[in-house]
Amino acid sequence: MKFKVFIINLDTSTERWQQVSTQCDRLGIAYERVSAVRGSELIPEERAKVYDLPTNLKKYDKRLNDGEIGCYLSHVHCWNKIIDQELDFALILEDDVQLEEQIRDCISLFEKMDTCDWDYIKLFSSKRLKLNMETMELGKGMQLHRVSKLSAGTCSQFVSASGARKLLKHAFPIARPVDADIQHWYERDLRCFVVTPSVGTPAGFESEIDMLDGQHRDYVKRRPLKRLLLLVIYEFNLLVNSFKLAPFPKVKG
């Protein structure tokens, strides 16, 4: 299996890099740093290539801020690396992740799984799994779940080569935050699963990608009626597409 760990980190976030790289070193996990994109530094021509306001406002309840665009592009860089480096799959981490000891066992277990059977594995979840359809024992005290509703956040996930291709195919123009886009898995036929217990959780740091000169970029007014309408449509689509959930991946050999 060709596998790598990518860690998304802003060039200026040296303390974040220190804490996440120290965790990986302690756990004996090799990694590659991926320079995060600061959306506020995109020139208008670069921004126009990846973001379209009408598409954004059609699919989401507010205009995306610079941090959300930058975060999405940072994950795009990782997906491209999976394809360019011809990897079978990768572990993509954000630099505010708190890794558990079981992450090593999780990597070993998925190196034995057929990557033709899955696209995206979320390695953390909320305390209660939402719309859990079925559970598979992985061993080492871990379970894999077929769920129709994924929790928010992208601090830790496995992405296979097929998953990277699907995500890249539908990435532009950016219309939602990256985690919200992945929650709409049925739009891109993503075969998604969730691992429990969580092995890479948000550490509770304030997102530096959403900051510029000490000021929050998330100041855009939301549209509550649009938000409610989109939520109703989303929940309906989850119900309708729940029968399309992929079967559990097979163990190779």
Side-chain angles (χ1 to χ4, degrees):
M1 296 287 284
K2 294 183 67 176
F3 166 79
K4 273 192 175 182
V5 177
F6 296 123
I7 304 176
I8 298 170
N9 170 250
L10 279 168
D11 294 342
T12 55
S13 298
T14 54
E15 291 186 9
R16 298 266 187 117
W17 177 248
Q18 181 64 35
Q19 70 87 21
V20 69
S21 60
T22 297
Q23 290 184 73
C24 289
D25 291 339
R26 176 177 57 82
L27 293 168
I29 297 173
Y31 50 86
E32 178 179 323
R33 180 181 176 276
V34 176
S35 183
V37 176
R38 193 182 287 276
S40 59
E41 296 179 352
L42 294 172
I43 63 174
E45 292 79 9
E46 292 172 327
R47 189 183 183 90
K49 287 181 180 179
V50 299
Y51 173 75
D52 174 65
L53 180 58
T55 303
N56 170 193
L57 295 180
K58 179 180 179 181
K59 293 186 175 183
Y60 199 53
D61 64 290
K62 73 174 185 69
R63 177 169 58 85
L64 296 186
N65 63 36
D66 292 333
E68 289 163 332
I69 294 172
C71 183
Y72 203 120
L73 291 175
S74 301
H75 282 269
V76 166
H77 286 343
C78 294
W79 304 337
N80 276 317
K81 283 179 176 290
I82 293 172
I83 303 303
D84 294 343
Q85 298 181 25
E86 299 182 343
L87 303 178
D88 292 296
F89 73 110
L91 169 58
I92 301 175
L93 303 173
E94 295 178 349
D95 64 4
D96 64 343
V97 70
Q98 178 65 46
L99 298 175
E100 305 298 330
E101 294 283 344
Q102 279 183 301
I103 188 70
R104 294 178 298 186
D105 293 330
C106 195
I107 292 171
S108 298
L109 287 167
F110 275 91
E111 284 178 327
K112 300 173 184 177
M113 294 283 186
D114 195 331
T115 54
C116 295
D117 294 338
W118 61 270
D119 298 316
Y120 185 92
I121 311 290
K122 185 174 282 288
L123 301 182
F124 77 98
S125 65
S126 55
K127 293 182 179 180
R128 183 176 63 85
L129 288 173
K130 300 175 180 178
L131 301 182
N132 183 25
M133 309 300 288
E134 192 176 1
T135 298
M136 170 185 175
E137 293 293 330
L138 291 174
K140 303 287 186 178
M142 290 180 285
Q143 298 82 38
L144 189 67
H145 305 272
R146 298 171 69 231
V147 301
S148 59
K149 192 171 187 177
L150 300 171
S151 57
T154 49
C155 70
S156 62
Q157 57 264 291
F158 289 135
V159 179
S160 70
S162 62
R165 292 189 185 93
K166 290 178 182 180
L167 289 163
L168 288 168
K169 181 179 179 181
H170 296 276
F172 303 124
I174 297 171
R176 309 180 183 105
V178 63
D179 59 338
D181 230 15
I182 292 170
Q183 287 177 314
H184 291 72
W185 53 268
Y186 48 85
E187 294 180 350
R188 42 193 51 77
D189 195 29
L190 278 177
R191 297 167 298 174
C192 300
F193 302 90
V194 177
V195 167
T196 61
S198 299
V199 296
T201 58
F205 298 131
E206 194 170 34
S207 174
E208 291 188 347
I209 297 178
D210 286 339
M211 300 285 286
L212 178 64
D213 299 328
Q215 299 296 316
H216 278 287
R217 304 300 296 179
D218 192 11
Y219 54 80
V220 182
K221 184 178 180 180
R222 290 185 177 274
R223 299 173 295 163
L225 292 180
K226 180 72 172 184
R227 182 180 179 84
L228 178 60
L229 175 61
L230 290 174
L231 179 60
V232 170
I233 293 172
Y234 172 63
E235 295 288 348
F236 174 77
N237 280 321
L238 288 182
L239 181 64
V240 169
N241 289 284
S242 60
F243 72 95
K244 295 181 181 179
L245 290 173
F248 285 118
K250 298 181 291 292
V251 177
K252 295 186 297 181

